[in-house]
Amino acid sequence: MDLLPIAFLLLFVLLGGIIAVLADNVGRTLGKKRLKIWKLRPKHTAQLGTFIMGALISLFTIILVTIFSSDVRQWIIEGRRAVQQRNQALGDLKGARNELGNVRTELDTQSKQIDKLDKDIRAKTKQVQEQGNKLVTLNSKITGLQEAASKANSTINRLDRERAATQRELNSQKSRLAAQQAQLTKVQVQLSAARLATQQEQALARTAGEQKEETDKRNLALITENTNLEKGISELQEDIKRLSADENELRIARDRAKEDLDRAQQQLTSYQAQLDTAQQELQAIIHQVRQAQGFYAQIHGQSRTEPLMYQFGEEVARVPVEGGRSVAQAQDSLTTLLRSARIAAIARGAKRSESLQEAGIVEHTDPITQEPITPQQIERQIVQQMASSKTPVVLLASSSFNAFQGEPVSLELQVLPNPMIYTKGQVLAETVIDGTKDEATIFKQIEDLISIQIRERAQKDKIIAKLGSDQFGEVTPAEIFGLMSKVKAVNRTIRVQAIAASDTRAADLLKLEFRLR
């Protein structure tokens, strides 16, 4: 029996009595002294002192027991886990005992099986001894049969050698026979060819005799004719020499005339191209003049002494349009563009006339048929172009003429493709800048990156600049000076990359970000 738990419990009972006595003395002493703590009444102060004294004695006792008893220390540290480990150990021990009982049962079974196998082995050993005796008898018989087989093998080998020699002789006879047959076939072919050649020679001999007689007759006639031809040839040779000289002179004259004709044709082609270009330009100017006359007639000859609002061809507004739009949606996009153009024109000082709004489409004249084209017809054409496009497009409005403040703005409309050009984060250009240089040099290198490399890249990739200018995007002075400060702060050679700040289509304003690497 383990006495430690009983001693531990007796110790705590004894300590409880001691704590009660000491705490009572402490409480009585504090009550007599009428002490106050934290504005407490003396009674409550005495009770607090009694509580603290009892708690300290209990804590001190637990600490001492923990220090001097490893079992108590383990119980305090591990607590319920120690009980669980003990229960688990007891369970494992019980399982091990059950397993040991199973192993003993299995050993008894295997022992019985071993006894049975021992009996079988003894029976098999007896059978093996009997079979050994029989094997000795069979070995003697096998020895006799092996000697007989050896003699038979010798006889078979001798017969095989004789058969091989006979086969080689037979193959040799067959080869000679095949060669003789081939020779005979060759001789027969030569004989047939000789007979055929003989027959052909006889036929040719007869034909040659007949041809010889006819040839002799023809030779006499040819000799006479040849004599006459030689005389004619001499005369023809003299004529040929005379004609050759004339032909050379004519060829030289023909080549000179051809060269003159080619030069004249080239000049004529050049003059014709220049004339066609001039006529086209003249027709365009006449067309613009007629439109301008009609436009100015509609504004009643208003004085044009006011400041210029828009130059000819300058962009007034633009509206991107998604692909696959219906006719109604395309009409809405056109309405949005015209409204944006009027707002922009009004902001610059445009005013409506009696027949025209602040900005709008005026009547055109067909340059070929000279027939008038109404604004409604132009709008229907633009709407049809947008509705028939399956890919994104951009609708642009530009000034048809120079427009001055106080008058309306005549609009020309265009529908252009608007594909995706750049994706967000794509590197557009880069340069190497020396951060140790002065600020003017750094600023010049950054300006070259933006105004030259980025501009050339945008033109190459067909970004649609603002009509009437080469403006593809905008970089504020603050961004430039901020980038210059970063490069200067690095104080070494660094690579500066200009990247797209967002996905950019052809008609979008190009926005840039800069990255130092």
Side-chain angles (χ1 to χ4, degrees):
M1 183 176 180
D2 190 3
L3 298 178
L4 181 61
I6 297 174
F8 186 71
L9 292 175
L10 292 175
L11 176 62
F12 268 91
V13 171
L14 181 61
L15 286 174
I18 296 173
I19 290 170
V21 174
L22 293 177
D24 183 64
N25 292 332
V26 170
R28 189 182 300 108
T29 303
L30 292 175
K32 290 179 180 180
K33 292 183 179 181
R34 308 292 291 176
L35 297 176
K36 292 184 179 182
I37 299 177
W38 303 317
K39 298 181 180 181
L40 294 176
R41 295 174 61 186
K43 177 183 177 181
H44 295 161
T45 301
Q47 291 176 351
L48 179 62
T50 303
F51 170 77
I52 293 173
M53 188 62 185
L56 289 176
I57 294 172
S58 299
L59 178 62
F60 183 68
T61 304
I62 292 171
I63 292 173
L64 289 177
V65 172
T66 302
I67 293 173
F68 292 105
S69 176
S70 60
D71 293 335
V72 175
R73 185 167 57 250
Q74 182 179 5
W75 175 76
I76 291 174
I77 293 174
E78 297 184 359
R80 294 173 60 187
R81 187 175 61 183
V83 176
Q84 292 175 357
Q85 290 178 353
R86 183 200 64 183
N87 294 335
Q88 184 178 0
L90 292 175
D92 293 342
L93 179 59
K94 185 177 180 181
R97 288 176 179 175
N98 293 334
E99 188 175 356
L100 181 60
N102 295 332
V103 170
R104 287 178 179 175
T105 304
E106 187 176 355
L107 287 175
D108 293 338
T109 303
Q110 290 180 356
S111 177
K112 293 177 181 179
Q113 292 177 355
I114 290 171
D115 293 339
K116 184 178 179 181
L117 290 174
D118 189 24
K119 293 178 181 179
D120 293 340
I121 289 171
R122 286 196 296 269
K124 294 293 183 182
T125 303
K126 184 176 180 181
Q127 292 178 1
V128 168
Q129 290 176 354
E130 293 176 355
Q131 294 293 334
N133 296 330
K134 292 180 181 180
L135 184 61
V136 172
T137 304
L138 291 174
N139 283 334
S140 60
K141 293 181 180 180
I142 289 171
T143 301
L145 292 173
Q146 287 178 346
E147 292 177 356
S150 177
K151 292 179 180 180
N153 287 333
S154 300
T155 303
I156 291 170
N157 290 333
R158 179 175 55 78
L159 293 175
D160 287 340
R161 287 194 295 272
E162 292 177 357
R163 184 179 62 79
T166 303
Q167 185 66 36
R168 286 195 297 272
E169 183 64 23
L170 179 60
N171 292 336
S172 177
Q173 292 294 337
K174 288 181 179 180
S175 299
R176 287 195 295 271
L177 179 60
Q180 290 175 358
Q181 287 178 348
Q183 186 67 24
L184 178 59
T185 302
K186 183 177 181 182
V187 170
Q188 288 176 350
V189 172
Q190 291 176 353
L191 180 60
S192 299
R195 287 176 181 175
L196 181 62
T198 301
Q199 293 175 358
Q200 291 177 351
E201 288 176 356
Q202 290 175 356
L204 290 172
R206 288 193 298 271
T207 304
E210 295 174 356
Q211 291 178 352
K212 183 175 182 300
E213 292 177 359
E214 185 178 357
T215 301
D216 291 339
K217 293 178 182 179
R218 289 181 179 179
N219 284 338
L220 291 174
L222 288 174
I223 289 171
T224 303
E225 186 178 359
N226 189 33
T227 302
N228 297 327
L229 288 174
E230 286 179 354
K231 295 179 180 179
I233 288 171
S234 299
E235 295 175 356
L236 290 173
Q237 286 178 348
E238 293 178 358
D239 293 338
I240 289 171
K241 290 180 181 179
R242 186 172 61 257
L243 291 173
S244 296
D246 296 340
E247 183 182 7
N248 290 332
E249 293 178 358
L250 292 173
R251 185 182 294 111
I252 293 171
R254 184 195 65 186
D255 293 340
R256 291 176 180 173
K258 186 176 180 181
E259 291 176 356
D260 294 339
L261 179 61
D262 291 339
R263 283 196 297 271
Q265 287 179 344
Q266 291 176 357
Q267 291 178 356
L268 179 60
T269 302
S270 176
Y271 292 153
Q272 185 64 41
Q274 294 176 3
L275 179 61
D276 293 340
T277 303
Q279 288 179 347
Q280 293 175 358
E281 292 177 352
L282 179 60
Q283 291 295 331
I285 292 172
I286 292 172
H287 179 64
Q288 293 177 1
V289 168
R290 288 176 178 175
Q291 290 182 349
Q293 289 174 348
F295 175 72
Y296 296 142
Q298 293 183 44
I299 62 175
H300 303 291
Q302 183 174 338
S303 175
R304 312 195 79 195
T305 59
E306 298 295 330
L308 182 67
M309 287 188 301
Y310 290 101
Q311 294 181 350
F312 167 70
E314 183 177 353
E315 181 176 321
V316 180
R318 68 171 60 187
V319 171
V321 182
E322 296 295 330
R325 307 282 283 183
S326 64
V327 174
Q329 291 172 333
Q331 183 65 51
D332 292 341
S333 299
L334 177 59
T335 303
T336 301
L337 176 75
L338 296 177
R339 186 184 299 113
S340 301
R342 284 197 298 271
I343 293 172
I346 291 172
R348 291 201 183 186
K351 294 182 179 180
R352 68 168 56 209
S353 65
E354 294 180 358
S355 58
L356 297 176
Q357 295 181 345
E358 291 83 357
I361 306 171
V362 300
E363 184 177 284
H364 286 53
T365 302
D366 191 306
I368 298 176
T369 64
Q370 302 300 319
E371 295 292 333
I373 304 175
T374 63
Q376 292 75 18
Q377 292 175 331
I378 296 174
E379 290 183 5
R380 284 197 295 270
Q381 292 176 359
I382 295 297
V383 169
Q384 187 61 35
Q385 288 182 11
M386 289 189 290
S388 62
S389 177
K390 303 300 181 183
T391 58
V393 295
V394 60
L395 185 57
L396 298 175
S398 59
S399 177
S400 304
F401 315 104
N402 289 339
F404 296 84
Q405 290 182 2
E407 65 183 31
V409 180
S410 172
L411 299 179
E412 286 289 336
L413 303 186
Q414 300 181 61
V415 179
L416 300 178
N418 190 21
M420 183 68 69
I421 304 297
Y422 304 126
T423 57
K424 182 178 180 181
Q426 180 177 350
V427 178
L428 305 184
E430 65 178 30
T431 187
V432 176
I433 299 178
D434 188 355
T436 61
K437 300 293 185 179
D438 58 280
E439 293 182 351
T441 303
I442 296 174
F443 178 81
K444 180 64 170 58
Q445 292 176 334
I446 295 174
E447 187 180 25
D448 291 343
L449 172 66
I450 298 172
S451 60
I452 297 177
Q453 295 188 38
I454 297 296
R455 189 179 304 278
E456 291 178 352
R457 177 67 183 273
Q459 292 174 345
K460 177 183 176 183
D461 296 335
K462 298 182 179 179
I463 292 289
I464 302 175
K466 187 175 181 180
L467 298 182
S469 69
D470 58 352
Q471 182 179 355
F472 297 95
E474 183 179 5
V475 180
T476 63
E479 292 176 334
I480 296 177
F481 283 108
L483 177 61
M484 185 175 64
S485 300
K486 291 180 181 179
V487 173
K488 188 66 177 176
V490 174
N491 198 29
R492 62 179 175 85
T493 301
I494 192 170
R495 189 165 76 252
V496 179
Q497 293 180 334
I499 61 177
S502 60
D503 293 342
T504 305
R505 292 190 177 274
D508 293 341
L509 186 66
L510 181 58
K511 298 179 181 179
L512 299 176
E513 292 180 353
F514 298 95
R515 181 167 58 197
L516 307 182
R517 301 184 66 87

